[in-house]
Amino acid sequence: MSRRIKRTTSPGDRAKGRDKGRDRDRAGDRGKSGSTQRSRKPDDRKSGERKSSERKSGERPFAHPAAGKPPRFAESRRDRQERAEPAATKPAAEQPLPTKVQTVVVTADENGMRVDRFLEARFPGLSFSHIQRIVRKGELRVNGKRADSKDRLEEGQSVRIPPLRLDTPKTAGTLSEAEAKTLQALKDMTLYEDDDVLVLNKPAGLAVQGGSGMTRHVDQMLEVMRDAKGQKPRLVHRLDRETSGCLLVAKTRFAATHLTGAFRHRSARKIYWALVAGVPKPKQGRISTYLAKEESEEDSIMRIAEHGDEGASHAVTYYAVVETSATKLAWVSLKPVTGRTHQLRAHMAHIDHAIVGDPKYFNKENWQLPGGLQNRLHLLARRIVIPHPRGGVIDATAPLPPHMLQSWNLLGLEADRFDPIENAPEE
């Protein structure tokens, strides 16, 4: 039986069978190929959707492209992020602190930045006191030379940075009980606030920045207001420790650049109130001198200097008498054109009408403080008017502090009187 089957299946038939088998295999391959190509299209669509979602998550917050136009550089930004991902093995807050000397190059975006602002931007957890210390000791170098914290950097410069001690940025919801109290204290001081600017009513006795043995000051208090990126609000100007009133703070780097520029170009207007000994004559005037710092073993003061003296800076102040208490005391409104250290205090002492309660510059002999008045500095940063970084004007006014309000009430001075300093020139 088996032999009969073999005879009836000729070699030609076997060849035909092999051909038919190959044809079926080829037809099957074509079918498989076609089905693979069809099934790839949905995968492509999903891949495209994934890429689209990746591109959206990689865009900067608030960077809204123009309507109808694709976002510029979206692909290159995403590509850079994908290349950077393998290196970012830890969150920024968990990165090891810099313990070795670093040399960095100033970028185009950092051109014109002050040295202290540059360090704050590069290392958000770096405290002001630590910045001042490394600069003062000469540990920070710009192109190999010592630099001051107020020096401005240029693109391409090389900055040598010593080992740093960083404070860990606080994240939302992790404030301790003490920090929560500090935050509430700042809110209680707030005269004006928006997304970019904060104006505080600094109380007398609270320092603006740290110093020897200083444990509490405004700059340290602002640590509790760090944002999610570790950036904390920046001081725009300073007030003496015993001076109360309007203190301007920038909440963003954008605002800090514009507000410090406004001070530098003298487009900010500041008005101070003071209680002085005697009554200045004339009742309205301009004080123009040179001031230089005079150091002693115990303290330092600003002395009246001559043009050309070492360290001397020109200082201009306008004053106006608002109201008097007989001939003993006068309420004086002051408008500084320049912003020198202790300028108002030194200028009023220079014209023999020192500010009441001034421990540094009040030197009138045989002068008795009227009964009921506290022997504290009677100087208030009453008002600040400055262009807002995003348009418009910031106009903030601080009330009299408790010790000055007490003096005003005892002397019968009316705090709502017209302030003649409004008519003083701006320069």
Side-chain angles (χ1 to χ4, degrees):
M1 183 70 177
S2 61
R3 286 194 296 271
R4 191 162 51 246
I5 294 173
K6 285 181 180 178
R7 281 197 299 270
T8 58
T9 306
S10 67
D13 293 334
R14 287 197 297 271
K16 289 180 181 178
R18 284 196 298 270
D19 292 339
K20 290 181 180 178
R22 280 196 295 269
D23 291 340
R24 283 195 301 270
D25 291 341
R26 281 196 293 269
D29 288 342
R30 283 195 299 270
K32 289 179 182 179
S33 175
S35 64
T36 301
Q37 290 170 357
R38 286 193 298 273
S39 64
R40 189 178 296 146
K41 289 181 182 178
D43 291 341
D44 286 346
R45 285 195 297 273
K46 291 178 182 178
S47 175
E49 290 169 1
R50 284 196 298 271
K51 289 179 181 179
S52 176
S53 64
E54 288 171 0
R55 192 156 54 240
K56 289 179 181 178
S57 64
E59 289 175 1
R60 295 181 180 178
F62 312 117
H64 303 294
K69 294 183 180 180
R72 297 179 63 195
F73 314 122
E75 283 296 323
S76 60
R77 213 166 35 236
R78 181 172 62 83
D79 292 343
R80 286 196 298 271
Q81 289 172 350
E82 289 174 352
R83 287 197 299 271
E85 280 177 2
T89 56
K90 293 183 179 181
E94 298 179 8
Q95 290 289 346
L97 301 181
T99 57
K100 297 180 181 180
V101 173
Q102 305 176 42
T103 301
V104 299
V105 177
V106 179
T107 65
D109 290 340
E110 296 164 333
N111 185 53
M113 288 182 77
R114 284 174 30 159
V115 169
D116 52 359
R117 304 300 186 203
F118 170 82
L119 290 172
E120 285 182 351
R122 288 269 183 156
F123 307 99
L126 199 61
S127 67
F128 174 82
S129 58
H130 193 43
I131 291 174
Q132 297 301 310
R133 184 161 54 252
I134 63 176
V135 172
R136 185 174 62 251
K137 290 182 177 180
E139 296 176 353
L140 181 138
R141 302 271 175 157
V142 178
N143 284 353
K145 299 179 181 179
R146 292 177 71 114
D148 187 81
S149 59
K150 296 181 180 179
D151 290 347
R152 296 192 177 273
L153 299 171
E154 297 178 4
E155 180 184 358
Q157 286 183 324
S158 177
V159 182
R160 176 195 182 274
I161 301 173
L164 302 175
R165 186 184 70 252
L166 300 181
D167 300 326
T168 304
K170 298 292 182 183
T171 57
T174 62
L175 295 180
S176 66
E177 183 178 352
E179 290 167 336
K181 289 181 178 179
T182 298
L183 184 60
Q184 185 59 48
L186 289 170
K187 290 186 179 298
D188 293 341
M189 294 181 206
T190 300
L191 297 171
Y192 172 85
E193 183 177 15
D194 61 26
D195 291 339
D196 295 291
V197 182
L198 178 67
V199 183
L200 299 175
N201 179 22
K202 187 192 81 66
L206 176 63
V208 172
Q209 292 175 314
S212 178
M214 196 75 63
T215 57
R216 183 177 173 82
H217 49 86
V218 176
D219 192 47
Q220 175 261 332
M221 294 174 70
L222 291 173
E223 290 286 345
V224 301
M225 293 185 67
R226 286 188 181 275
D227 62 19
K229 296 180 180 179
Q231 296 290 327
K232 80 168 187 177
R234 300 166 172 81
L235 297 167
V236 177
H237 65 124
R238 316 286 184 263
L239 292 177
D240 296 339
R241 181 175 183 175
E242 295 303 324
T243 302
S244 62
C246 297
L247 180 68
L248 190 64
V249 177
K251 295 175 68 177
T252 62
R253 192 178 305 167
F254 168 79
T257 300
H258 284 74
L259 294 175
T260 52
F263 273 87
R264 190 164 56 249
H265 298 115
R266 299 181 184 174
S267 56
R269 182 158 57 105
K270 295 177 289 181
I271 294 174
Y272 290 74
W273 281 2
L275 189 67
V276 303
V279 180
K281 293 182 181 179
K283 289 191 174 183
Q284 296 184 24
R286 179 178 184 267
I287 307 169
S288 176
T289 71
Y290 283 84
L291 295 175
K293 183 177 287 188
E294 187 175 274
E295 302 280 358
S296 65
E297 292 182 1
E298 298 179 354
D299 207 349
S300 64
I301 64 170
M302 301 301 290
R303 63 174 178 84
I304 303 300
E306 298 293 333
H307 178 52
D309 286 358
E310 183 179 358
S313 300
H314 190 216
V316 177
T317 302
Y318 286 94
Y319 74 87
V321 175
V322 184
E323 197 174 359
T324 66
S325 178
T327 59
K328 182 81 171 178
L329 297 163
W331 161 18
V332 175
S333 187
L334 304 161
K335 181 189 287 186
V337 175
T338 53
R340 312 304 178 199
T341 302
H342 297 175
Q343 175 177 318
L344 302 180
R345 298 162 66 181
H347 270 176
M348 295 313 294
H350 172 62
I351 64 172
D352 200 31
H353 295 285
I355 299 174
V356 171
D358 192 334
K360 287 180 180 285
Y361 298 92
F362 197 99
N363 55 8
K364 295 181 74 67
E365 296 181 1
N366 303 319
W367 194 89
Q368 295 295 323
L369 186 71
L373 272 64
Q374 298 182 45
N375 190 23
R376 300 181 64 183
L377 182 66
H378 282 58
L379 180 62
L380 165 70
R382 170 67 174 177
R383 185 180 176 194
I384 186 165
V385 182
I386 189 169
H388 193 284
R390 300 188 188 276
V393 173
I394 302 166
D395 189 347
T397 300
L400 288 167
H403 71 283
M404 289 181 68
L405 180 60
Q406 180 185 30
S407 299
W408 257 239
N409 291 335
L410 287 170
L411 298 171
L413 304 176
E414 300 176 8
D416 58 353
R417 286 180 67 93
F418 170 72
D419 189 347
I421 204 70
E422 296 285 344
N423 299 324
E426 297 295 330
E427 56 184 348

